[in-house]
Amino acid sequence: MSQRFLNHFAFWTLYVLYKSFLNIDSDLLMMDQFLLLVKIQLVFVSIKVLLVYTLFYVTDQYLLKRWSVLKTTLSVFVLFIASILGIMTLNQWIVIGWIQGQKTNLLENITSLQSIGYWFFILAFVSGVAVSIKLIRYSFRQKISEQELLKKKLELELQFLKAQSNPHFLFNTLNNIYGLARKNSDATADAVMKLSNLLRFMLYETTHPSIEIEKEIQMIYDYIELEKLRYSSKLQVIFHHEIDQSKKRITPLLLLPFVENAFKHGASESRFESYIDIRLTLKNDLLFFEIKNSMEHQSASDNESKIGLKNVKRQLELLYPNHQLDIDKQPNSFRVTLKINLADEKI
């Protein structure tokens, strides 16, 4: 037996008992009197049940936009007319005539405006309560459905951003190794090994919605070591980090694009001595990340328009809407400052 059926059965049972209790005349509750009232309410509830569930059907047709307003209105009007006539007939023949054993005049009661108004109010009340509950539940389900659809849409967008970032990262790294290979550098084999480690991370770790921050830090370390193989002593790289929760989770590859950007559009385009300074702190779920790199004047205009930065900015908007990202472009330097409360992750 389904839970839905049980819920509806419980509703109508409580309704019959409540209506029976309200109709008790004396202050002294007599079981015979109460059972008689229950029997009467069961007669009336047969019409009410038919009305309510037919109204449910009409409401569904309207909400699903299968019926027009006019068709829905006419259907409700006809339903109420038929229900009023039906309940008045049952009242006269079964309740008054059979259960109470009194003589009745059906035609007189059916044509009585007072009687019609009374039964309309009774039917309108119970059907109004039932339909209101249905509409509230429908609205609640719609909101849940919309939230689930929105979440799925955001998850798909995040997957697309990651799928776009990974080949972009691989392309840039392979270009670096290609440059080493052309120089017949002894560092080529070491670079391929480090790239293999990075790719292993990207294959197995980035499929998860979040990773431990210590793994993200190790990823940054490995990438820095890979990039440093290309440069002589003209590049100085500083990576300082201080975290109070090494197991705190963060979206994978969230910070690496900033580091990649500093190498690609800072150090690689500089003909002179250059530097990259990275600071990462995590305290009480508050993450502070700052990266500053030197750059030559002519490359300052396009630093922010690259795929990596565009993707990570969009990921930040989706995952950490309350984040603070500041990008400061100067003629000879480029600095990114990021502040995130990791407890505020939305997906």
Side-chain angles (χ1 to χ4, degrees), residues 37-261:
L37 292 172
V38 168
K39 188 185 297 185
I40 294 173
Q41 289 301 320
L42 287 174
V43 174
F44 294 149
V45 86
S46 61
I47 296 294
K48 296 175 182 178
V49 167
L50 288 174
L51 172 62
V52 165
Y53 288 104
T54 308
L55 284 175
F56 282 177
Y57 173 79
V58 173
T59 304
D60 287 337
Q61 298 305 306
Y62 176 74
L63 292 176
L64 294 173
K65 298 182 179 180
R66 296 173 180 168
W67 286 10
S68 64
V69 176
L70 179 61
K71 184 177 181 179
T72 303
T73 304
L74 289 175
S75 299
V76 172
F77 178 77
V78 171
L79 275 174
F80 268 93
I81 294 297
S83 298
I84 291 171
L85 292 175
I87 202 167
M88 291 174 68
T89 302
L90 290 179
N91 182 53
Q92 294 298 314
W93 285 354
I94 298 179
V95 176
I96 298 176
W98 179 50
I99 297 177
Q100 297 178 349
Q102 302 176 15
K103 293 183 178 181
T104 62
N105 189 330
L106 177 61
L107 183 60
E108 180 180 343
N109 281 279
I110 288 179
T111 56
S112 171
L113 293 178
Q114 183 178 359
S115 181
I116 293 174
Y118 170 79
W119 288 113
F120 172 79
F121 174 79
I122 295 295
L123 294 175
F125 177 79
V126 66
S127 59
V129 170
V131 172
S132 296
I133 294 173
K134 178 181 177 63
L135 291 176
I136 291 172
R137 292 186 61 193
Y138 175 83
S139 177
F140 183 71
R141 287 197 301 266
Q142 284 290 101
K143 288 182 179 180
I144 293 177
S145 178
E146 289 172 3
Q147 290 173 356
E148 289 178 349
L149 288 174
L150 178 60
K151 184 177 181 180
K152 289 180 180 178
K153 179 182 177 182
L154 295 180
E155 288 175 348
L156 288 174
E157 184 175 354
L158 281 171
Q159 291 174 9
F160 171 76
L161 291 172
K162 290 179 181 179
Q164 190 179 29
S165 295
N166 291 353
H168 174 260
F169 165 80
L170 179 60
F171 174 77
N172 291 335
T173 308
L174 286 175
N175 276 343
N176 296 341
I177 296 177
Y178 173 74
L180 292 173
R182 289 203 60 181
K183 296 176 184 178
N184 294 320
S185 172
D186 294 335
T188 303
D190 194 18
V192 172
M193 180 60 65
K194 291 183 182 299
L195 175 60
S196 174
N197 293 335
L198 292 175
L199 290 178
R200 186 180 298 111
F201 175 90
M202 296 174 69
L203 282 173
Y204 297 107
E205 298 294 342
T206 59
T207 56
H208 303 296
S210 64
I211 60 171
E212 296 167 353
I213 193 168
E214 62 180 359
K215 292 183 179 180
E216 182 80 2
I217 291 174
Q218 186 59 50
M219 178 72 167
I220 294 174
Y221 262 126
D222 291 343
Y223 182 76
I224 291 174
E225 292 302 312
L226 177 61
E227 286 285 357
K228 285 170 66 176
L229 294 174
R230 297 177 53 209
Y231 300 95
S232 61
S233 58
K234 73 172 185 175
L235 173 63
Q236 180 184 12
V237 181
I238 299 173
F239 181 24
H240 174 77
H241 62 86
E242 183 178 351
I243 58 175
D244 62 353
Q245 303 175 66
S246 62
K247 302 300 181 181
K248 187 65 183 178
R249 304 190 73 83
I250 187 174
T251 301
L253 297 180
L254 190 67
L255 304 178
L256 185 65
F258 295 113
V259 181
E260 180 189 8
N261 186 74

